Amino acid sequence: MFKKITIIGLGLIGSSIARAIKKKNLCKNLIAHDKSESVLKTVLKLKIANQIEKNVKKSVENSDLVIICTPLGTYKNIVSNIKNNLKKTCILTDVGSAKIYVTQVVSKLINRNTIWIPAHPIAGTEQSGPRAGFADLFKNRWCIITPTNKKNSSYIKKLNKFWKRIGCKVQYMSAEHHDKVMAITSHIPHLIAYNIVGTAANLEKDTKSEVIKYSASGFRDFTRIASSDPIMWRDIALNNRKQILHMLDKFNSDLKNLKGAILRRDKNKLFKLFSKTRKIRQAIVKAGQDISTPNFGRKN
């Protein structure tokens, strides 16, 4: 599909994209850039790119596709450095989870004719680093594209095709709608997980290690989510702040109602809520976004 692709940031997502590109033979030359020399050495050792490049400006020269796969807080510096080294026909895209922020930041920095198409593959694990990646991470997962310029329609179609080739189903959304959806389906669950595991850690002394010793599946799954990359999730929390705070208010209101039902011993209300949420889980499995059998070592 491309002569040259550059991936900036070879963590879980970036290294998985690199592996998928190599597996599907989607370009002749795959360039990897990361600020960490140890990451680049690992990339070289694992042979998941044709070439590593320490200089971010040089890494994007003559590339047909540049994918930013770094935490949101790094975007300003990266785009400022590469904007004058992108050729006119190069597609600049990303994998960030807060599209309003990403769109505003990048749009202010890029040159007028830059082909900038934000995207977000909804895939990942709690692991991080280039060794954690795998080529099938995106298989049957959604990638949301949030175009900023309809004049780039031919390039948007090409990016759509790229994500489909590495396994994704593709959906178009506005940045605003994307951030609202992600706030409740991804961002709030992660924040709740971080908070409940933090609460358990604070209780650890009182329970004499029983919280960890007797971890049931519910708490265990929370700890899996709460072990995700802290830098990435710090940046998401701060840069989708408006939608996250709105959803937290809604969550707190629902939690208050749940507390009230328990205080009133309202069996019907509790049963109705638990039945409703069970159906949502069944719908997620039916949609192919998870499996119904236990898979505690799952990668997706």
Side-chain angles (χ1 to χ4, degrees):
M1 287 189 69
F2 301 93
K3 288 183 179 179
K4 181 179 178 181
I5 297 176
T6 300
I7 298 177
I8 299 175
L10 275 293
L12 168 68
I13 300 298
S15 68
S16 293
I17 293 173
R19 287 176 170 91
I21 289 170
K22 296 277 281 186
K23 182 179 180 180
K24 300 291 184 178
N25 194 28
L26 299 184
C27 74
K28 291 182 178 179
N29 194 13
L30 178 58
I31 310 298
H33 167 79
D34 197 285
K35 68 175 184 178
S36 167
E37 286 194 25
S38 65
V39 167
L40 290 179
K41 287 179 181 177
T42 301
V43 168
L44 203 59
K45 186 177 181 180
L46 296 174
K47 298 180 181 180
I48 58 177
N50 299 113
Q51 181 183 333
I52 59 170
E53 177 54 65
K54 296 179 182 179
N55 187 306
V56 69
K57 291 181 180 180
K58 289 183 179 180
S59 74
V60 303
E61 288 178 351
N62 296 314
S63 281
D64 302 296
L65 175 66
V66 173
I67 311 173
I68 301 174
C69 304
T70 57
L72 298 172
T74 66
Y75 277 42
K76 285 184 180 180
N77 185 53
I78 289 170
V79 176
S80 296
N81 275 299
I82 68 172
K83 65 178 184 179
N84 294 324
N85 290 67
L86 300 172
K87 69 178 185 179
K88 290 183 179 180
T89 56
C90 175
I91 298 172
L92 175 64
T93 189
D94 77 310
V95 298
S97 186
K99 302 324 288 187
I100 293 175
Y101 169 79
V102 162
T103 300
Q104 290 174 345
V105 167
V106 178
S107 296
K108 288 178 182 178
L109 293 171
I110 56 174
N111 297 322
R112 186 167 57 90
N113 294 321
T114 300
I115 303 162
W116 158 235
I117 310 171
H120 177 211
I122 306 173
T125 74
E126 72 277 14
Q127 304 297 323
S128 58
R131 293 187 183 277
F134 54 102
D136 290 335
L137 177 65
F138 309 102
K139 188 176 180 180
N140 294 323
R141 301 299 171 200
W142 286 100
C143 179
I144 298 175
I145 298 177
T146 58
T148 59
N149 188 345
K150 292 181 180 179
K151 292 180 181 179
N152 293 330
S153 60
S154 63
Y155 294 102
I156 293 169
K157 288 178 182 177
K158 191 166 187 179
L159 186 63
N160 180 318
K161 185 178 179 182
F162 168 79
W163 282 111
K164 285 181 178 177
R165 288 286 297 274
I166 64 174
C168 283
K169 299 177 286 185
V170 175
Q171 179 73 52
Y172 295 104
M173 284 186 190
S174 67
E176 292 78 8
H177 188 64
H178 167 278
D179 285 5
K180 185 176 181 179
V181 171
M182 287 301 104
I184 192 60
T185 61
S186 176
H187 304 168
I188 294 299
H190 274 81
L191 294 177
I192 291 170
Y194 281 119
N195 198 63
I196 198 167
V197 173
T199 299
N202 293 336
L203 290 171
E204 188 68 15
K205 291 180 181 178
D206 297 333
T207 56
K208 298 179 181 178
S209 298
E210 288 177 349
V211 169
I212 292 175
K213 183 177 179 180
Y214 298 115
S215 291
S217 58
F219 183 72
R220 181 175 58 222
D221 282 350
F222 273 123
T223 61
R224 183 181 67 82
I225 296 170
S227 66
S228 300
D229 189 323
I231 295 175
M232 180 180 76
W233 282 99
R234 176 201 65 191
D235 287 1
I236 289 171
L238 293 176
N239 292 306
N240 195 22
R241 182 171 171 268
K242 182 179 178 181
Q243 292 291 354
I244 287 173
L245 290 174
H246 174 73
M247 292 299 176
L248 278 176
D249 285 342
K250 180 72 172 67
F251 176 78
N252 285 334
S253 175
D254 291 341
L255 193 61
K256 186 177 179 180
N257 288 334
L258 176 59
K259 181 181 178 180
I262 295 170
L263 285 170
R264 296 189 305 272
R265 301 177 186 270
D266 191 335
K267 295 179 181 179
N268 290 333
K269 188 166 186 176
L270 291 173
F271 181 79
K272 187 177 179 180
L273 172 63
F274 299 157
S275 298
K276 179 181 178 181
T277 55
R278 188 182 188 188
K279 288 179 182 178
I280 290 172
R281 168 62 185 173
Q282 292 168 345
I284 288 171
V285 172
K286 188 176 180 180
Q289 296 304 298
D290 205 348
I291 59 176
S292 58
T293 54
N295 184 20
F296 302 118
R298 61 183 178 263
K299 287 185 175 181
N300 292 13

